[in-house]
Short mmCIF file of all heavy atoms in Angstrom, two decimals:
data_model
loop_
_atom_site.label_atom_id
_atom_site.label_comp_id
_atom_site.label_asym_id
_atom_site.label_seq_id
_atom_site.Cartn_x
_atom_site.Cartn_y
_atom_site.Cartn_z
N TYR A 72 -3.31 160.25 -54.43
CA TYR A 72 -4.57 159.52 -54.27
C TYR A 72 -4.70 159.03 -52.84
O TYR A 72 -3.72 158.91 -52.10
CB TYR A 72 -4.67 158.35 -55.25
CG TYR A 72 -3.53 157.35 -55.18
CD1 TYR A 72 -3.52 156.32 -54.23
CD2 TYR A 72 -2.46 157.41 -56.07
CE1 TYR A 72 -2.49 155.40 -54.16
CE2 TYR A 72 -1.42 156.50 -56.01
CZ TYR A 72 -1.43 155.49 -55.06
OH TYR A 72 -0.41 154.59 -54.99
N GLU A 73 -5.94 158.79 -52.46
CA GLU A 73 -6.21 158.31 -51.11
C GLU A 73 -6.16 156.78 -51.08
O GLU A 73 -6.21 156.11 -52.12
CB GLU A 73 -7.59 158.80 -50.65
CG GLU A 73 -7.72 160.31 -50.57
CD GLU A 73 -6.80 160.92 -49.54
OE1 GLU A 73 -6.40 160.21 -48.59
OE2 GLU A 73 -6.45 162.12 -49.68
N ARG A 115 -6.83 174.97 -61.77
CA ARG A 115 -7.38 175.12 -60.42
C ARG A 115 -6.27 175.34 -59.39
O ARG A 115 -6.39 176.17 -58.49
CB ARG A 115 -8.22 173.90 -60.05
CG ARG A 115 -8.78 173.95 -58.63
CD ARG A 115 -9.47 172.64 -58.26
NE ARG A 115 -9.95 172.69 -56.89
CZ ARG A 115 -11.15 173.11 -56.52
NH1 ARG A 115 -12.00 173.53 -57.44
NH2 ARG A 115 -11.51 173.13 -55.25
N ILE A 122 -5.63 171.31 -54.21
CA ILE A 122 -5.84 170.11 -55.01
C ILE A 122 -6.82 169.19 -54.29
O ILE A 122 -7.06 169.34 -53.09
CB ILE A 122 -4.52 169.35 -55.25
CG1 ILE A 122 -3.93 168.88 -53.91
CG2 ILE A 122 -3.52 170.18 -56.03
CD1 ILE A 122 -2.74 167.94 -54.05
N ILE A 123 -7.39 168.27 -55.07
CA ILE A 123 -8.22 167.20 -54.49
C ILE A 123 -7.62 165.88 -54.97
O ILE A 123 -7.67 165.57 -56.16
CB ILE A 123 -9.68 167.30 -54.93
CG1 ILE A 123 -10.27 168.64 -54.49
CG2 ILE A 123 -10.49 166.14 -54.35
CD1 ILE A 123 -11.72 168.84 -54.92
N PRO A 124 -7.03 165.09 -54.08
CA PRO A 124 -6.44 163.80 -54.49
C PRO A 124 -7.51 162.87 -55.06
O PRO A 124 -8.69 162.96 -54.71
CB PRO A 124 -5.85 163.25 -53.18
CG PRO A 124 -5.71 164.44 -52.29
CD PRO A 124 -6.83 165.37 -52.65
N ILE A 125 -7.09 161.95 -55.91
CA ILE A 125 -8.00 160.95 -56.46
C ILE A 125 -8.57 160.12 -55.31
O ILE A 125 -7.83 159.64 -54.45
CB ILE A 125 -7.29 160.04 -57.47
CG1 ILE A 125 -6.82 160.86 -58.68
CG2 ILE A 125 -8.19 158.91 -57.94
CD1 ILE A 125 -5.99 160.06 -59.67
N GLY A 126 -9.90 159.97 -55.31
CA GLY A 126 -10.55 159.19 -54.25
C GLY A 126 -10.77 159.99 -52.99
O GLY A 126 -11.32 159.46 -52.01
N GLY A 127 -10.37 161.24 -52.98
CA GLY A 127 -10.54 162.07 -51.78
C GLY A 127 -11.74 162.99 -51.92
O GLY A 127 -12.23 163.25 -53.02
N SER A 128 -12.18 163.51 -50.81
CA SER A 128 -13.31 164.44 -50.81
C SER A 128 -12.95 165.78 -50.18
O SER A 128 -13.71 166.74 -50.27
CB SER A 128 -14.49 163.83 -50.02
OG SER A 128 -14.09 163.49 -48.70
N GLU A 129 -11.77 165.84 -49.57
CA GLU A 129 -11.34 167.07 -48.91
C GLU A 129 -10.31 167.80 -49.76
O GLU A 129 -9.44 167.19 -50.37
CB GLU A 129 -10.76 166.76 -47.53
CG GLU A 129 -11.76 166.19 -46.55
CD GLU A 129 -11.15 165.99 -45.17
OE1 GLU A 129 -9.96 166.36 -44.99
OE2 GLU A 129 -11.84 165.48 -44.30
N VAL A 130 -10.44 169.12 -49.76
CA VAL A 130 -9.50 169.97 -50.48
C VAL A 130 -8.20 170.08 -49.68
O VAL A 130 -8.21 170.24 -48.46
CB VAL A 130 -10.09 171.38 -50.71
CG1 VAL A 130 -9.02 172.32 -51.26
CG2 VAL A 130 -11.27 171.30 -51.66
N VAL A 131 -7.07 169.95 -50.38
CA VAL A 131 -5.76 170.06 -49.75
C VAL A 131 -5.08 171.31 -50.28
O VAL A 131 -4.88 171.46 -51.48
CB VAL A 131 -4.88 168.83 -50.05
CG1 VAL A 131 -3.49 168.99 -49.43
CG2 VAL A 131 -5.55 167.56 -49.56
#
Side-chain angles (χ1 to χ4, degrees):
Y72 56 83
E73 298 296 337
R115 177 186 178 91
I122 62 172
I123 300 178
I125 296 175
S128 56
E129 295 184 3
V130 171
V131 177

